[in-house]
Amino acid sequence: MKSRFTQGSNDMPNNNILIEVKELRTYFYLTEGVVRAVDGVSFSLERGRTLGVVGESGCGKSVTARSIMNMVRKPGRTVGGEVLYHRRNGDDTTEEIIDLLKLEPMGDEMRAIRGGEFAMIFQEPRASLSPVHTIGTQIVEAIRLHRPMTKAQAREHGIEMLRRVKIPRPEQIIDAYPHQLSGGMCQRAMIALALACQPALLIADEPTTALDVTTEAQILELMRELQATFETSIMYITHNLAVVAEIARDVMVMYMGKDVEFAPVDAIFHEPKHPYTIALLSSIPRIDVERDMLATMAGTVPDPYALPKGCPFHPRCPSRLPVCSQDIEVPYVFFDKGHRVRCHLYTAK
Amino acid sequence: MRTFVLKRILQAIPILFGISIIAFAIIQLPPGDYLTTYVNNLRSQGDVISDEQVKALEEQYGLNQPLYLQYWKWITNFVRGEMGQSFYWNKPVRSLIGERIALSMLVSLFALVLTYAIAIPIGLISATRQYSFADNLFTVLAFIGVGLPSFLVALVLMYFGNRYLGLSAGGLFSIEYMDAPWSLGRVLDLLKHMILPALIIGISGTAGTIRVMRATTLDELSRPYVEAARARGLREMVAVLRYPVRVALNPIMSTIGWQLPALVSGETLVSMVLGLPTCGPLLYTALITQDMYLAASFIMILSTLTVAGTLLSDILLAWIDPRIRFGGIQ
């Protein structure tokens, strides 16, 4: 039986799912209390498509990503839900479904998927590369971990990958150390490293946040091109709505560990439903609307140790209802084209 | 890399020159010299020594010459390996220092190897299992190790080692091998005697190194490149050993060179307590008795080793850390 979460943003029957995340819960057990970093998140991602995950710092975007990679570390733990990976064999004829959360996190099977089938790039490209090893050492290591290649073959392949990410003089750069390259070049190298084994999924955790705007535009352009070539699905995590508009086809908005809204990118920008999404969008400066003061969101992000009961957004919500502060899970409300929202405003209808 | 090494070596020469002047000045600083002490001693024992005799002695040792001449004579001889005469022992300094330096280095080297062999794995375990029982235990032990004065440890271990384990209580040789020529038996005897001193000398260093290793590894473990290595699918052990540990070893590698002077003079107190025929006690008596050539030679040797050690550290660090090696180019 197909869940309603597996609906994509078009109306075609959906048999192209790559991963399905159901009711994911990842908590951090700290001495100060339990932080519910991810508290019931469900979504699915199709092959070859890009999902943008938006939200402010601490909303659980990165933890969601690490939960999918099954690499949440202590004191964090994935306490509930499923991450279903629809794994296909080489010629796309058969498909098996694996619940990644059931695999041993550091076991052989999970490690083969991690890096081989799911790859990840990070926020600080230079810090994500070892400062005392060359780019080449790290790429060759990644390739040989997942592909039966000799050192020389892996190096050849590494140079080819560096060329694909448009690094100039790849034969020389492969022997460079991270500190000899610019941030943008390091992120290109990270992308080359991530895509070297042709993963089915690329998780990009704010890959351009630390880069300047021009470099960001180049990296986004590059990722779009590579996605077309490699048919990789991308989960793109960012707090920047402009970047989402640029790269994503579907968008998931997160707030305090909850997936408050999920919609095709056009719907998010033109028909946002959740008051949080609406507030986020109205706080972006626009060139075509004259405004004296930029709109800001009322209130502050709640204390993660003491989340408000009911909808976590209700203390800041301009359209809150009495029901919002009651201690019940906010239900999903589904619209057409896969648009869904978790808000009591729409359950009344 | 080659220019880096060459530059560093050239920089070391004026430093050594400066040190030699300071070493010589320090020797001259206290009022009087060895001869005065010597003559006073003789006179207080009732010997009659005329002023002419004193003058003749001064002449003989060159003590009546101006300071810069004394310095020049000393340093040129020193460079050629002639370190002068020890007044106190009435022997050439070189023959006095010779075997002691070898023994000192042997004991200290033994202690150093022991230190790293124990400290690095323990520091690593402490860091990767932070706040576990093992970590807490090692932390307590390390603090005790750092806090206890080593001569006290020496006394206690000497007592228990001798009482319950039958280990020798002092010296580096048994009586029958004391002045015997080198033989297999003498080497074995030396090794047997060395375990305790090496352990004692190594204790505070081990404790300190555990803390350093733990702290630097903890620092590195939380870096994004470690997570990136895990995200690549590496085994946890491999990811930790190949990346953060490799980086965390840098500060330890870079201080190896500084151990050079400590290899010679290290743990004077422990050597005195244990009666080791090493350099520490000799330097100590040389300073007490104003035995100027012996003391100056020691200070010069130790300073040279410090400079050489720092040089070695710099080169090692540049070799293992590309950020330093290429620092000048960027």
Side-chain angles (χ1 to χ4, degrees):
Chain A
M1 201 181 74
K2 207 186 294 172
S3 130
R4 300 192 71 183
F5 295 107
T6 60
Q7 251 176 332
S9 55
N10 58 10
D11 292 319
M12 280 178 34
N14 227 313
N15 51 9
N16 212 16
I17 298 289
L18 178 70
I19 52 165
E20 248 177 297
V21 174
K22 291 180 177 172
E23 284 291 306
L24 181 69
R25 284 174 208 278
T26 303
Y27 296 170
F28 284 79
Y29 296 88
L30 307 172
T31 41
E32 294 90 340
V34 179
V35 174
R36 302 172 171 205
V38 178
D39 198 15
V41 166
S42 303
F43 65 93
S44 63
L45 175 55
E46 283 177 46
R47 283 168 204 282
R49 293 179 72 148
T50 301
L51 168 71
V53 181
V54 219
E56 53 205 301
S57 311
C59 72
K61 312 179 294 264
S62 296
V63 178
T64 304
R66 278 155 185 77
S67 305
I68 293 172
M69 296 287 276
N70 198 357
M71 53 186 277
V72 175
R73 292 182 62 79
K74 275 184 186 171
R77 194 149 49 87
T78 303
V79 293
E82 293 175 332
V83 174
L84 301 179
Y85 168 35
H86 296 237
R87 179 198 246 164
R88 285 190 184 167
N89 68 351
D91 50 4
D92 286 2
T93 49
T94 55
E95 187 174 282
E96 55 170 335
I97 299 179
I98 311 168
D99 183 356
L100 297 183
L101 298 181
K102 294 236 162 67
L103 299 180
E104 184 61 37
M106 282 323 261
D108 289 345
E109 205 177 347
M110 190 60 233
R111 287 191 302 103
I113 293 172
R114 198 186 290 138
E117 293 160 64
F118 291 6
M120 194 161 173
I121 58 176
F122 299 87
Q123 184 166 355
E124 293 169 81
R126 188 177 291 124
S128 304
L129 290 159
S130 160
V132 297
H133 295 86
T134 61
I135 306 288
T137 313
Q138 298 175 66
I139 295 190
V140 166
E141 174 189 66
I143 297 172
R144 296 196 61 203
L145 206 57
H146 301 287
R147 297 283 178 270
M149 285 195 199
T150 64
K151 265 193 181 152
Q153 286 170 328
R155 189 183 155 88
E156 250 342 279
H157 184 52
I159 292 173
E160 176 55 28
M161 285 310 298
L162 291 180
R163 187 173 290 122
R164 296 288 273 276
V165 297
K166 304 206 173 71
I167 284 182
R169 299 176 288 113
E171 304 82 2
Q172 285 153 44
I173 295 297
I174 195 163
D175 291 320
Y177 289 93
H179 72 275
Q180 295 172 303
L181 305 178
S182 67
M185 281 298 150
C186 282
Q187 196 57 285
R188 282 168 194 267
M190 277 302 286
I191 294 173
L193 194 156
L195 295 182
C197 298
Q198 298 222 10
L201 171 69
L202 174 67
I203 298 180
D205 188 0
E206 308 219 25
T208 57
T209 306
L211 304 175
D212 65 77
V213 194
T214 322
T215 316
E216 175 171 67
Q218 291 167 353
I219 296 282
L220 290 177
E221 176 62 31
L222 175 72
M223 287 181 69
R224 262 201 306 262
E225 272 180 50
L226 292 172
Q227 182 173 36
T229 324
F230 290 99
E231 295 174 340
T232 312
S233 304
I234 297 179
M235 178 172 162
Y236 197 102
I237 296 169
T238 179
H239 59 261
N240 187 339
L241 284 163
V243 169
V244 164
E246 191 78 17
I247 196 160
R249 280 187 60 181
D250 299 304
V251 180
M252 177 164 76
V253 182
M254 287 185 71
Y255 185 78
M256 289 288 112
K258 302 248 195 264
D259 49 343
V260 294
E261 187 160 5
F262 185 104
V265 66
D266 285 347
I268 283 284
F269 283 94
H270 297 118
E271 313 154 48
K273 305 274 189 208
H274 197 283
Y276 176 65
T277 316
I278 296 169
L280 264 190
L281 286 165
S282 63
S283 61
I284 308 174
R286 288 177 61 169
I287 202 160
D288 54 337
V289 180
E290 208 167 304
R291 215 162 19 182
D292 288 339
M293 280 265 269
L294 207 53
T296 53
M297 217 177 284
T300 52
V301 180
D303 176 8
Y305 299 112
L307 284 183
K309 286 200 165 80
C311 172
F313 189 59
H314 83 260
R316 306 171 74 184
C317 184
S319 17
R320 92 178 138 258
L321 304 169
V323 66
C324 296
S325 55
Q326 284 173 23
D327 195 5
I328 45 170
E329 274 287 299
V330 187
Y332 288 94
V333 181
F334 295 87
F335 299 87
D336 57 350
K337 295 182 191 160
H339 195 159
R340 63 182 159 82
V341 65
R342 296 180 84 172
C343 182
H344 288 296
L345 279 180
Y346 302 92
T347 48
K349 288 178 193 170
Chain B
M1 186 77 184
R2 195 181 297 161
T3 42
F4 175 87
V5 173
L6 207 69
K7 220 165 77 186
R8 281 301 159 95
I9 291 176
L10 287 178
Q11 279 171 354
I13 293 172
I15 293 175
L16 282 175
F17 179 67
I19 287 172
S20 72
I21 291 179
I22 293 171
F24 191 76
I26 289 174
I27 299 309
Q28 300 287 345
L29 270 183
D33 49 36
Y34 182 73
L35 202 59
T36 330
T37 323
Y38 179 66
V39 169
N40 284 343
N41 269 344
L42 287 183
R43 278 181 177 157
S44 67
Q45 286 162 21
D47 283 7
V48 181
I49 296 170
S50 67
D51 287 351
E52 282 75 32
Q53 275 176 298
V54 175
K55 274 235 161 59
L57 280 170
E58 275 181 358
E59 195 89 23
Q60 187 191 333
Y61 291 117
L63 291 177
N64 56 349
Q65 288 171 326
L67 276 183
Y68 66 90
L69 269 182
Q70 288 191 40
Y71 167 75
W72 184 247
K73 206 173 138 197
W74 169 68
I75 193 66
T76 44
N77 280 330
F78 185 88
V79 172
R80 274 185 274 128
E82 286 305 322
M83 301 177 194
Q85 191 82 4
S86 161
F87 300 119
Y88 182 79
W89 301 90
N90 208 7
K91 267 182 171 175
V93 169
R94 203 161 68 163
S95 70
L96 266 178
I97 293 183
E99 194 178 47
R100 280 176 177 251
I101 282 198
L103 285 178
S104 288
M105 289 191 109
L106 200 64
V107 174
S108 305
L109 213 62
F110 209 72
L112 196 66
V113 171
L114 212 64
T115 298
Y116 287 134
I118 296 172
I120 292 175
I122 289 184
L124 208 63
I125 291 169
S126 270
T128 48
R129 311 210 184 322
Q130 195 186 6
Y131 303 137
S132 66
F133 175 75
D135 177 32
N136 288 330
L137 180 74
F138 288 134
T139 298
V140 170
L141 288 180
F143 279 132
I144 292 174
V146 173
L148 278 182
S150 48
F151 64 87
L152 189 69
V153 179
L155 284 172
V156 172
L157 280 187
M158 208 159 77
Y159 174 77
F160 283 104
N162 185 262
R163 182 86 196 258
Y164 298 105
L165 300 173
L167 289 172
S168 130
L172 279 180
F173 299 103
S174 309
I175 297 165
E176 62 266 36
Y177 286 110
M178 196 74 86
D179 292 309
W182 283 105
S183 63
L184 185 65
R186 195 172 190 231
V187 171
L188 288 179
D189 185 56
L190 176 65
L191 284 178
K192 211 173 82 191
H193 281 77
M194 223 157 57
I195 296 169
L196 208 52
L199 203 67
I200 293 163
I201 293 172
I203 277 180
S204 76
T206 306
T209 310
I210 288 177
R211 300 308 295 166
V212 171
M213 191 65 201
R214 178 181 184 272
T216 47
T217 308
L218 274 179
D219 260 3
E220 295 301 325
L221 276 177
S222 57
R223 304 254 183 220
Y225 67 81
V226 186
E227 190 173 40
R230 288 195 191 105
R232 229 173 278 162
L234 280 178
R235 268 176 210 287
E236 180 66 16
M237 265 288 267
V238 179
V240 168
L241 286 181
R242 204 173 285 173
Y243 294 101
V245 171
R246 169 70 179 66
V247 180
L249 280 176
N250 284 8
I252 291 189
M253 294 279 262
S254 70
T255 51
I256 279 185
W258 301 344
Q259 307 279 353
L260 269 186
L263 285 184
V264 171
S265 74
E267 297 307 329
T268 303
L269 277 177
V270 172
S271 296
M272 286 164 82
V273 170
L274 292 177
L276 306 180
T278 51
C279 291
L282 189 66
L283 171 60
Y284 177 74
T285 36
L287 290 172
I288 294 268
T289 57
Q290 293 193 354
D291 193 348
M292 67 173 274
Y293 286 118
L294 183 57
S297 300
F298 258 124
I299 291 179
M300 205 47 214
I301 289 172
L302 293 181
S303 312
T304 310
L305 285 175
T306 308
V307 173
T310 313
L311 184 72
L312 192 74
S313 289
D314 284 356
I315 294 172
L316 255 180
L317 198 57
W319 178 53
I320 59 174
D321 194 336
R323 287 168 296 182
I324 307 234
R325 198 182 324 147
F326 296 110
I329 294 169
Q330 272 204 326

